[in-house]
């Protein structure tokens, strides 16, 4: 089985079969990551560059670990310490890197569509590690994989996505992914942080009432308030946001059931999520981070078009 795409630019481009193939491949890699020797020689002939034009902790480390577990040669590029600061363009930067015979590019950029632009100009396989407010496909894959792991399956499950939907690439990729896999999705948050036509455009439910969304769902994926992408204030204060839309122990205890809590990170503790929830047994936040390595190994392996035995790497 192979993926229907040459690049991973967004979940929008994937079929449900692609996503299932990535999950099945990640299941195998997750087994390998539990072994004393966590490394396989599968990509030993492959060079991958991680191009990060925007800050990252989880995604960048997770991709680098995934690449090293697969024995790829890895080069890291940070825009803030590069010739981008001297005015070099994106296409010149990438072409210079590719002249050094790189096979795959993992890219994060603040401009929506940057990896799509690049895919039209270069031969190497591209993995989108987050582009502006558009998509963050590997985050959505690891989120859905983590729900599948906790609840057994995705189809028929009810997932609430909470908070700053407007500026969130995680929200858009999660909506595409969950709906392709048969889940029902509700978005909730202040009206100023929810795009007006999202219900019609993406087939999700909308409520501005947090408690109603939490009472309805099996899983709540709580999003970071992205102040850096808000040009003008969209709610009165962080304190008021926490009082109305923060997921707290009090609100969870008032529900008639126990739901699963997720967050892609980084968390603004005491804003969208309180610590007594983030660090509780209901939270699978660190499982999401753990699963990110296996998911990214699966994506890199499948895009590299490798055949044969994953486990031995022969
Ligand atoms: N979830 C996520 O993308 O986190 P980073 O910005 O730290 O990579």
């Amino acid at each position: 089985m192979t993926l229907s795409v040459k690049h991973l630019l967004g979940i929008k481009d994937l079929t449900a079969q692609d996503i299932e193939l990535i999950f099945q491949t990640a299941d195998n890699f997750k087994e390998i990551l539990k072994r004393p020797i966590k490394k396989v020689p599968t990509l030993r002939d492959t060079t991958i560059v991680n191009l990060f034009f925007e800050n990252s902790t989880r995604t960048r480390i997770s991709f680098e670990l995934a690449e090293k577990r697969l024995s790829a040669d890895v080069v890291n590029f940070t825009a803030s310490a590069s010739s981008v600061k001297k005015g070099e363009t994106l296409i010149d930067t990438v072409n210079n890197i590719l002249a050094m015979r790189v096979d795959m590019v993992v890219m994060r950029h603040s401009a929506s569509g940057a990896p799509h632009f690049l895919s039209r100009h270069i031969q190497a396989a591209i993995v989108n590690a987050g582009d502006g407010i558009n998509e963050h496909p590997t985050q959505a894959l690891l989120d859905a994989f983590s729900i599948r792991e906790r609840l057994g399956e995705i189809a028929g499950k009810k997932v609430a996505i909470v908070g700053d939907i407007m500026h969130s690439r995680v929200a858009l990729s999660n909506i595409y992914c969950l709906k392709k896999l048969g889940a029902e999705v509700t978005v909730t948050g202040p009206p100023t942080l929810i795009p007006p036509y999202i219900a019609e455009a993406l087939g999700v439910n909308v409520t501005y009432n947090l408690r109603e969304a939490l009472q309805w769902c099996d899983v709540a994926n709580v999003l970071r308030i992205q102040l850096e992408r808000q040009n003008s204030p969209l709610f009165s204060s962080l304190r008021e946001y926490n009082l109305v839309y923060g997921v707290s122990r009090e609100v969870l205890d008032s529900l008639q059931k126990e739901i699963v809590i997720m967050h892609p990170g980084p968390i603004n503790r005491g804003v969208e999520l309180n610590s007594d929830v983030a660090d509780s047994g209901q939270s699978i936040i660190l499982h999401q981070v753990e699963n990110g390595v296996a998911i990214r190994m699966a994506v890199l392996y499948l895009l590299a078009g490798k055949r044969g035995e994953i486990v031995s790497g022969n």
Side-chain angles (χ1 to χ4, degrees):
M1 294 248 308
T2 56
L3 293 177
S4 66
V5 291
K6 282 195 215 155
H7 310 281
L8 179 58
L9 301 177
I11 301 290
K12 189 178 184 181
D13 308 325
L14 298 183
T15 63
Q17 290 72 29
D18 287 329
I19 298 170
E20 291 294 350
L21 175 60
I22 292 168
F23 286 178
Q24 285 160 17
T25 310
D27 285 335
N28 290 331
F29 283 126
K30 199 161 173 186
E31 284 306 310
I32 289 171
L33 292 172
K34 288 180 188 153
R35 294 179 185 171
I37 296 172
K38 301 173 179 60
K39 200 160 172 156
V40 286
T42 316
L43 295 191
R44 68 188 151 199
D45 56 350
T46 305
T47 304
I48 304 176
V49 60
N50 299 314
L51 279 182
F52 278 70
F53 292 85
E54 216 188 40
N55 293 344
S56 169
T57 297
R58 277 147 292 272
T59 311
R60 181 171 175 156
I61 292 174
S62 183
F63 267 112
E64 189 173 344
L65 264 179
E67 292 152 5
K68 287 180 171 169
R69 299 288 190 234
L70 291 167
S71 302
D73 291 321
V74 179
V75 182
N76 288 310
F77 167 93
T78 307
S80 59
S82 74
S83 291
V84 169
K85 289 286 161 200
K86 300 176 196 165
E88 189 166 45
T89 64
L90 172 61
I91 199 81
D92 280 343
T93 299
V94 173
N95 275 330
N96 276 274
I97 291 169
L98 293 181
M100 296 178 237
R101 307 183 77 82
V102 166
D103 303 298
M104 299 179 83
V105 176
V106 174
M107 179 175 164
R108 170 168 288 192
H109 203 286
S110 58
S112 300
H116 306 70
F117 168 78
L118 210 56
S119 72
R120 293 192 287 272
H121 290 88
I122 67 171
Q123 292 302 316
I126 298 174
V127 184
N128 181 1
D131 64 318
I133 60 168
N134 181 40
E135 283 223 42
H136 192 347
T138 56
Q139 181 69 47
L141 290 167
L142 72 91
D143 288 346
F145 186 79
S146 301
I147 294 172
R148 168 184 176 263
E149 186 175 72
R150 178 57 73 104
L151 298 182
E153 60 181 343
I154 310 275
K157 295 293 181 289
K158 295 176 176 172
V159 181
I161 305 180
V162 180
D164 188 353
I165 311 297
M166 180 83 82
H167 303 100
S168 177
R169 53 197 178 206
V170 175
L172 186 58
S173 286
N174 261 268
I175 291 168
Y176 285 137
C177 189
L178 291 166
K179 291 201 59 82
K180 282 174 196 258
L181 297 176
E184 207 179 331
V185 179
T186 291
V187 297
T188 188
T192 49
L193 292 181
I194 298 188
Y197 302 111
I198 192 167
E200 299 87 325
L202 297 177
V204 296
N205 312 306
V206 179
T207 173
Y208 306 120
N209 184 322
L210 174 68
R211 196 174 296 260
E212 186 182 296
L214 297 182
Q215 185 58 52
W216 169 84
C217 72
D218 303 303
V219 178
N221 197 348
V222 185
L223 302 179
R224 182 173 70 86
I225 291 294
Q226 303 201 26
L227 292 173
E228 75 276 18
R229 297 193 207 278
Q230 297 180 18
N231 296 325
S232 56
L234 293 171
F235 49 88
S236 28
S237 70
L238 293 177
R239 183 174 146 69
E240 184 183 298
Y241 184 89
N242 179 251
L243 287 173
V244 182
Y245 287 105
V247 177
S248 64
R249 174 54 43 206
E250 187 192 0
V251 73
L252 289 188
D253 286 347
S254 75
L255 307 177
Q256 278 108 47
K257 61 182 189 182
E258 184 165 305
I259 62 171
V260 177
I261 298 293
M262 304 174 70
H263 192 301
I267 304 170
N268 290 311
R269 286 175 181 260
V271 181
E272 69 268 1
L273 190 61
N274 289 2
S275 286
D276 54 5
V277 176
D279 304 329
S280 73
Q282 274 175 268
S283 158
I284 59 166
I285 293 169
L286 293 179
H287 295 285
Q288 293 172 254
V289 176
E290 181 187 352
N291 286 334
V293 179
I295 283 289
R296 289 174 175 123
M297 287 173 80
V299 166
L300 294 167
Y301 167 82
L302 290 166
L303 286 178
K306 295 295 167 186
R307 301 284 183 279
E309 180 60 42
I310 293 173
V311 176
S312 68
N314 291 329

